[in-house]
Amino acid sequence: MSENNANQEPSETVLFDSAALKLDCGVTLDTLELAYRTYGTLNDDKTNAILICHALTGDQYPAGENPLTGKPGWWTQIVGPGRIIDTDKYFVICSNVLGGCGGSTGPQSDNPDGSGPYGLNFPVITIADMVRAQNLLIDHFGIESLFCVIGGSMGGMQVLEWAAAHGERVFSAVPIATSARHSSQNIAFHEVGRQAILADPEWHSGAYYAQKAHPRKGLAVARMAAHITYLSEAALQRKFGRNLQDRESITYGFDADFQIESYLRHQGMSFVERFDANSYLYITRAMDYFDIAAENGGNLAAAFTNSATRFCVMSFTSDWLFPTAESVNLVRALNAAGANVSFVEIESDKGHDAFLLDEPEMHATLNGFLKSAAKARGLTNDAGGDDD
Amino acid sequence: MIDPKSAAAGNLAADRIDLQLIADMVPRNSKVLDIGCGDGALLELLVNQRGVDGRGLELGQSGVNNCVTRGLSVVQGNADTDLSYYPDNGFDTVILSQTLQATQRPHDVLREMARIGKRLIVSIPNFGHWRVRLDLLAKGRMPVTGTLKASWYETANIHLCTLQDFADLCDVLGLSVESCITLSRGHAKSHAGRPTRRANLLADQGVFVLRRI
C-alpha cells in the first residue's frame, strides 16, 4: 500500500493498490482509494483510536468545519476537543464509505480499464465490503484494535459488521438507531428512491457523467421521500403543522403552498448539489442487503458468540425507520451470546435523525459508557478521570 | 424498585441493607446478573467492591439510563419475558433483590434464573412479619410498613409471600436453600438452611442463597 498525498486538500486519501479487496459479489477491486479525516493523536500503544462510521448520506467530516460546505461537521455535538468523543484524548478516524461520493472509490471513480467513470460497471457492494475497506485503513495506521467503533443508522450497521466479522479488533461498539438487518419497509422506501432516480431521463442508465448530466430531479425526489422517514409525525407537526409558505391562503394549484412542501423541496434540491445519484443507488442497495443473521445461518446470536466487545445499543422512541424493536432484537441476541451489552432507549420526538441532534440523554449515556470502557481499556488520561 | 436517592455505593439507604449483605455473598471476580437492578446501587457495589463482571436487567427506563450513564452494563427489559434470551449457565450468580414480588409469574422467573445461573440470590420482603400480621388481624387493613411502603392500590408488589412460603416454593422448583439471612430492623441473622418459624415472624425481609438440586 502507498499513500497518495497529491490530490487532497480537505481530507486525506489513501490508495490501496497492492491490497486487493475481494467483494461479496465476487468481484475483486485491485485498487481502492479511501478518503478519510482524522482528529487528535494516536497514542504510542495505539489503543485510543475511535472509528466513526457515517450514515447513508454522511461524509468523513463529523467534527470541526466541513471544508466543502463551510458548515459544522455532522456530529460536532459529540466529536471535538473536550466533547464526549474528545479529540484531545482519542484518535478519531472517519472515512468516506466505499461506494460513496466524498473521495472514496465509488461509481463516479474512474474505472481502471480506462473507460472513464464506472457508472453501473461499479460492482455492487455490501456493508461488509465497506467494513473490509475500513479494515485496510486501520491496518494502514498500524492499529491492531480500535478502542471504539461508533455510528448511527447505516453507520450502526457498519459497527455491527465490525463487531460480528472483526470482533477481535473492536474493544467497544456503539450501534445507534440501527438494526442487524434492513427491514422490508426500509427496503421498500429505498426502492421508491431508486426508482425515482432510474426514471429520470438525465440518469442515462448510470452513464450520465460523460453527458455532463445528473439526474437531479430523481435524486431530489429520492431524498424527499427518505427525509420524511428520518423525522417523525410529531416533529413534522410541531415544526410545520399546516402552516402556509409565504402566503395568506391556499392557491388552488400545485405550488408549495405548505411549509412542509417547501422544506422538502429545499432538502431535495440542496441534496443533489452534494451527492451522486449512482452512489445513492449503490449505498441504499448495500443497506438493503444487510442481514447479519442470514450470514450466520439465521441465528443472530451466533454472529456474536464469544464476543469480548463491550456494546452500548441505543434507540429513540419516535424512530420509525429503525424502531426500538430492532434494537431489542439485537440486544436479545447479544445477551444470548453472553456479550457485554448495555441498551438504552432515549425518549425523543425527533425521529430517526435524533442521533444527529442535541439529545442530552443520549450524550450522557454515551459519555458514561465511553468513560467506563476507557477505564477498562486502561486509557486513564489526565482528561479522563472523573465526571465532568 | 429502588429509591434513586440511595444510589451512591457505600451510602446505602438503611432500608436497603440487604444490598451490602448480597454483595458480601458474591464471590470476587465472578460473573453476575442483577435482575431488577433499579438504579444500579447493588451492581455498582459489586463492580467496585468485588470486581465482578456485572450485568443488569431493569424494567424502568430512567433506572436503565442512569445505570449506563454511570458505566454499568444494563439493558432495559422485563424479568417476566426477557430472561429466556439469556444462555444456560451464563452466569455464576443471578440476583433478584426485592423484585420477585413485583413479577407476574414469580415461579417462572425463578425457573429461568436457575437455568441461567449456577447460584441464585433472592431477597424478598416478608409478608409474615408480625407487624403485617397485626395490621391485618387487629386493624383489618392491608399493611403498610417500612419494607412495604405503598398502599394496596398503588403498590407494584403483586405477589407477596412469607419467608416460609418462599422456601416452600423453592422446594417445589427443585431449588435448595443453601443459606438465608433474615433481617429484622436492620439486624441480620444467618440460617444454615430454611428460615425458622421464629424468623418468619420477626424478620421484615430475607435474603436467600439457592442452588439447583
Side-chain angles (χ1 to χ4, degrees), chain B residues 33-45:
Chain B
L33 175 64
D34 183 5
I35 303 166
C37 63
D39 69 341
L42 173 61
L43 210 49
E44 197 164 48
L45 211 58

Side-chain angles (χ1 to χ4, degrees), chain A residues 78 84-85 150 174 314 362-371:
Chain A
I78 288 177
I84 295 165
I85 297 181
I150 179 170
V174 186
M314 282 188 263
M362 167 190 155
H363 296 176
T365 302
L366 180 61
N367 193 36
F369 175 77
L370 280 182
K371 281 198 167 145

